[in-house]
Amino acid sequence: MSRACLLLALVCLGACLGAQAGRWSITLDLLAEFAPVWLAGASAATAAALVLRGPLRRAVFLAGLAGMVGAIGLMGPELLRPSPKGSAEGAAFRLRVIQINCGGQGV
């Protein structure tokens, strides 16, 4: 059980670090789209570390905590930015299209 939790924490941490490298690589930027998943996985591993016993407990806790910090670092700018101004009364509905660029091609 502790090995599986450690693997989960390390995968989430690695994905967060890879997503941070998405600033320079278009392909790695795709990992940033799943930041809530990395946060959930790292949180689950950290919570599991609180009930685990054995030598891997500290490693699971620290890796999970680092994964949580990494995921929050990815999501923080979006959550803390100012809200967009509301549309005027009676204005038409606006639809925002979001495109993920992967390898130079829109997905």
Side-chain angles (χ1 to χ4, degrees), residues 26 29-30 33-34 98-107:
I26 294 173
D29 189 47
L30 188 60
E33 301 297 325
F34 299 100
I98 299 173
Q99 177 178 343
I100 299 172
N101 292 322
C102 187
Q105 298 176 345
V107 178

Side-chain angles (χ1 to χ4, degrees), residues 10-22 24 28 31 38 66-67 70-71 74:
L10 290 175
V11 165
C12 292
L13 175 59
C16 288
L17 292 175
Q20 290 289 349
W24 302 282
L28 288 176
L31 290 172
W38 311 138
L74 289 169

Side-chain angles (χ1 to χ4, degrees), residues 16 20 35 39 43 65-79:
C16 288
Q20 290 289 349
L39 177 61
S43 299
L65 195 62
M68 288 173 59
V69 169
I72 291 171
L74 289 169
M75 298 184 330
E78 289 295 320
L79 295 174

Side-chain angles (χ1 to χ4, degrees), residues 73-90:
L74 289 169
M75 298 184 330
E78 289 295 320
L79 295 174
L80 297 176
R81 71 181 174 95
S83 299
K85 294 182 180 177
S87 59
E89 194 70 33

